[in-house]
Amino acid sequence: MTTTAQPVPVDVRTELSPEEFRAAYMGRRPVVMRGAAAHMPAVSTWSAAHLGKVAPDQQVRVKVGTVSAGRTALVRLADYARELAAWDAAVARGDDAGDPPGYLHDVPLLSMVPALRHDLEPFPCDYFPPFFRDRWWAFTQFFVGPARAVTPLHFDTLLTHNLFFQIQGSKRFVMVADAERDKCHTYNWRWAAVDPEAPDLDRYPLFRDATVLTCDVEAGDVFYMPPGTLHKVISPGASISFNIDWHDRASALRGLAAVREGMPLKNLRYNLLFALGVVAGVPRSLLMPGLRSYYSYIS
């Protein structure tokens, strides 16, 4: 059986100040800030081809096969851009496109190609705690991928807040709140076995009572998810986006306690470093060497 209640749309706001965001949404519920990044030059100029021209010889690691399988390949950015363009053209023509190209997933592109940063200015730093503001670019993780890319239901590994910026194309998010994680049949800490769009309720009966949330995030939008939100992500077409995972005091302390919930010990190390910065006020310059590996691995 695959029947569930109709998904619930999340709030969409066209004007949302940092103060109102913190008061009404932060740590509480998702929200789409429609057009909040539309002023960024990248929204009108970036594509995979553009990235390949800016840094053609930059080596990037892409995921191949299913996103949760963890297999990767190292490719030149220009070669990846050409492969992506050929795949998307074949899909648009209705041809049998074969296996999709890899998915550039969780890549710290702004640290690798600093010339790209100015295309994201002025950046809305005030939505973040002070620890993340003046070097916001150091905390970005990019997603560049083909049409039909899908990331199965999961939650962010450090139980961070997530502010997500859509630059090219669109993404569809299908979500379940952190409070209902026990209904999602999770495994390996953060992955969920159930498909929230077509749940097999005979295999995953606990999901019957879960509330499913959904939204479409378009180019120029900014999207927020509270810590622990489970989310499946679908790319209808070619897409470029990035997010910043970040902690405030409450989420940092919860991230430390999450080791009792089964969080891997390596994640405790990262959450401890974040807590030292966000809670204890240790200078970021002392903590970033230890955090750098978090922003250079593919989850």
Side-chain angles (χ1 to χ4, degrees):
M1 188 191 322
T2 59
T3 302
T4 58
Q6 286 295 108
V8 177
V10 307
D11 286 0
V12 177
R13 300 287 302 272
T14 54
E15 297 284 341
L16 188 62
S17 70
E19 294 76 20
E20 189 177 3
F21 163 72
R22 284 187 280 272
Y25 292 100
M26 195 179 93
R28 295 175 178 84
R29 51 190 171 138
V31 61
V32 177
M33 300 181 226
R34 188 73 78 205
H39 65 279
M40 295 178 178
V43 173
S44 58
T45 60
W46 280 16
S47 62
H50 174 79
L51 299 179
K53 290 177 182 176
V54 171
D57 295 322
Q58 176 65 54
Q59 297 279 316
V60 291
R61 190 167 292 279
V62 299
K63 281 199 166 186
V64 294
T66 59
V67 171
S68 57
R71 294 189 296 118
T72 65
L74 196 64
V75 298
R76 290 174 68 248
L77 192 52
D79 295 337
Y80 177 67
R82 281 193 291 270
E83 185 181 6
L84 201 60
W87 159 266
D88 283 319
V91 169
R93 291 192 304 268
D95 295 347
D96 180 1
D99 292 334
Y103 189 4
L104 193 154
H105 194 277
D106 279 340
V107 174
L109 204 56
L110 299 187
S111 296
M112 300 162 71
V113 189
L116 295 171
R117 296 174 197 167
H118 73 276
D119 288 340
L120 300 171
E121 297 282 6
F123 191 76
C125 300
D126 290 344
Y127 287 95
F128 301 96
F131 182 84
F132 299 89
R133 286 180 189 167
D134 60 338
R135 286 175 65 85
W136 58 269
W137 50 266
F139 301 100
T140 56
Q141 293 170 298
F142 273 77
F143 308 87
V144 182
R148 305 177 185 172
V150 177
T151 302
L153 192 67
H154 69 289
F155 60 87
D156 293 334
T157 188
L158 299 187
L159 297 178
T160 45
H161 300 268
N162 186 330
L163 208 60
F164 185 93
F165 296 77
Q166 189 67 29
I167 302 301
Q168 181 204 25
S170 64
K171 286 187 181 290
R172 182 167 182 79
F173 284 78
V174 185
M175 296 159 285
V176 179
D178 174 60
E180 299 192 71
R181 188 197 307 177
D182 60 348
K183 301 174 183 177
C184 295
H185 299 265
T186 54
Y187 66 96
N188 290 350
W189 171 236
R190 71 193 196 102
W191 296 99
V194 64
D195 181 349
E197 294 186 289
D200 183 338
L201 297 179
D202 293 327
R203 289 187 68 185
Y204 307 114
L206 297 177
F207 197 77
R208 185 186 311 276
D209 299 322
T211 299
V212 176
L213 308 173
T214 187
C215 67
D216 293 303
V217 183
E218 308 290 342
D221 292 349
V222 178
F223 174 51
Y224 168 73
M225 284 185 293
T229 302
L230 292 105
H231 49 289
K232 175 184 179 180
V233 190
I234 305 101
S235 300
S239 173
I240 299 176
S241 50
F242 69 92
N243 70 353
I244 294 180
D245 295 335
W246 51 279
H247 274 309
D248 64 349
R249 179 184 179 88
S251 66
L253 294 176
R254 185 198 168 189
L256 294 178
V259 70
R260 297 198 296 265
E261 303 172 21
M263 183 184 72
L265 287 176
K266 67 177 181 179
N267 296 355
L268 177 63
R269 171 177 170 267
Y270 293 128
N271 275 337
L272 177 59
L273 291 170
F274 277 124
L276 287 171
V278 173
V279 179
V282 173
R284 187 183 54 234
S285 60
L286 299 179
L287 301 175
M288 283 306 292
L291 288 168
R292 192 165 292 121
S293 59
Y294 174 67
Y295 293 99
S296 59
Y297 91 109
I298 299 179
S299 66

